[in-house]
Amino acid sequence: MLMDNLKLIKHLYARAGFGLCFSDKRSEERHSVKKEVKELFKASEAAEPLSVVQDNIDYMKLATADMQAKKQIIQQQRQQEKDLNLAWMNRMSITNAQLREKMTLFWHNHFACRINNAFYAQQLNNIQRNYALGNFRDLLLAVSKSPAMLQFLNNQQNHKGHPNENFARELMELFTIGRGNYTEQDIKESARAFTGWGFDKDGVFKVRPFQHDNGQKTFLGKTGNLDGEDIINRLLEQKQTAVFISNKLYKYLVNEVPDPAHVHEMAEVFYKANYEIKPLLEYVFTADWFYDDKNIGNMIKSPINFLVGLNRQFYITYQRPEVLLEFQRALGQ
């Protein structure tokens, strides 16, 4: 009986975290699954930001810098990227808040963003960590206003009369309702709504009123002088957004082959909870089907999950932490 219980708890920690530590297995096997779910959430109540990147490099200097100065700026940039990578790997490997970090990793992948500015990347990572178990609307809005995402998807260049559609397209295709649930006209109209969204030299979000299109717009059947927040609210009114997120979470936490009935159950919980993430996760982790044999030991770990799992379960430390970067490259990360 204890072995059966341990099997379920090991599965829970493999999906809600990065694995059960070897020395914890004997003590945890006497706990109920529901108790362990509560413990996972309790340990992840606080969000501790990463702060390894202290300086925001002034990349404007590259335009006028000599070769030596450019080389120093590029070296500093690469070092910051390495420092941030290793700091997050270390956090995932040792933290008790592993559910929060596991969900931070999920949102990191969900809100795909590649940027050379490590200061902004750290800021976005901390946004995802802060809202990882909170409200999806708050998370989506904060990500949409982050310098990293605004720069990556060119919304700094989204101006009245010359709308840039990159952010509007990705917002629907990757972040909310998914492909096939909007039209090209919806993209054009929502891009107009996000005109003027940007950030200043200090990385602070700004709406530039003279660059914002105040005209009438029609988006997903709603007409008015819509702005960016109106677009986000309209997207969340669509139940398809709850379905889209639930489907991705199912593939991340349960099985890479979604069960439509279970995804529907998750979407119902998520939508009725006004996009609160915690009730959705609690529902999944306490559902009988989550512990079906077909869902246990059935997923190939990503390089990060694999490395962090080894570090956590066997208390691995590194005399030269940079070797973790080499492992990631070797594993195709």
Side-chain angles (χ1 to χ4, degrees), residues 14 27 95 117 135 172 196 202 223 252 254 303 305 320:
S27 61
T95 183
N117 187 313
N135 185 275
M172 286 181 273
D202 297 317
T223 300
Y252 184 71
V254 186
N305 273 301
R320 191 171 68 88

Side-chain angles (χ1 to χ4, degrees), residues 65-315:
D66 58 30
M67 289 300 296
Q68 183 60 30
K70 287 181 179 178
K71 185 177 180 180
Q72 290 177 344
I73 290 173
I74 292 171
Q75 287 178 339
Q76 184 183 5
Q77 171 199 321
R78 290 175 178 170
Q79 188 60 51
Q80 285 185 342
E81 289 175 348
K82 291 177 181 179
D83 291 343
L84 181 57
N85 182 307
L86 293 174
W88 192 17
M89 287 288 289
N90 185 61
R91 169 70 62 80
M92 288 186 282
S93 298
I94 67 173
T95 183
N96 289 326
Q98 57 175 314
L99 172 58
R100 183 173 291 276
E101 292 302 324
K102 187 66 175 280
M103 287 303 298
T104 301
L105 183 60
F106 172 77
W107 296 122
H108 170 79
N109 292 327
H110 178 73
F111 292 108
C113 180
R114 182 174 179 80
I115 186 171
N116 291 327
N117 187 313
F119 187 84
Y120 291 158
Q122 177 179 265
Q123 184 184 65
L124 179 58
N125 184 261
N126 284 329
I127 287 170
Q128 292 159 350
R129 177 173 294 104
N130 187 48
Y131 294 106
L133 304 175
N135 185 275
F136 178 67
R137 181 191 182 278
D138 295 339
L139 169 62
L140 178 60
L141 191 59
V143 168
S144 300
K145 292 181 175 181
S146 69
M149 191 61 72
L150 290 167
Q151 182 171 317
F152 176 62
L153 293 178
N154 309 113
N155 215 76
Q156 284 281 80
Q157 292 78 45
N158 189 10
H159 305 150
K160 178 181 179 180
H162 301 280
N164 185 299
E165 299 175 2
N166 285 0
F167 176 73
R169 187 180 298 275
E170 300 297 86
L171 174 66
M172 286 181 273
E173 181 178 334
L174 299 181
F175 303 163
T176 54
I177 56 177
R179 188 179 297 178
N181 297 294
Y182 53 88
T183 66
E184 285 297 310
Q185 188 60 31
D186 287 322
I187 294 172
K188 294 179 185 299
E189 297 288 89
S190 60
R192 290 175 57 212
F194 285 104
T195 51
W197 277 37
F199 57 93
D200 64 18
K201 61 181 180 62
D202 297 317
V204 178
F205 173 75
K206 299 288 184 183
V207 177
R208 297 159 293 184
F210 295 108
Q211 296 177 6
H212 177 66
D213 186 338
N214 286 303
Q216 292 284 99
K217 310 166 191 77
T218 299
F219 177 72
L220 295 178
K222 183 176 182 178
T223 300
N225 179 13
L226 307 178
D227 63 15
E229 292 199 30
D230 294 324
I231 297 298
I232 287 173
N233 290 336
R234 185 63 177 155
L235 286 166
L236 295 178
E237 289 171 1
Q238 314 305 307
K239 201 168 187 179
Q240 176 58 30
T241 294
V243 174
F244 183 77
I245 301 299
S246 295
N247 193 66
K248 288 190 74 170
L249 265 174
Y250 189 94
K251 291 193 287 186
Y252 184 71
L253 296 172
V254 186
N255 196 309
E256 291 178 353
V257 180
D259 183 309
H262 297 158
V263 171
H264 175 74
E265 293 171 18
M266 292 169 61
E268 286 289 327
V269 171
F270 199 29
Y271 193 72
K272 288 179 180 178
N274 293 316
Y275 291 96
E276 288 292 334
I277 299 164
K278 183 180 177 182
L280 173 59
L281 296 179
E282 287 176 329
Y283 179 80
V284 172
F285 297 146
T286 56
D288 290 340
W289 46 259
F290 178 73
Y291 300 94
D292 285 348
D293 284 342
K294 67 178 181 179
N295 295 326
I296 296 178
N298 67 322
M299 298 177 84
I300 297 173
K301 293 182 178 180
S302 70
I304 296 301
N305 273 301
F306 176 68
L307 291 171
V308 171
L310 288 177
N311 295 346
R312 288 191 69 89
Q313 293 173 62
F314 299 104
Y315 307 99

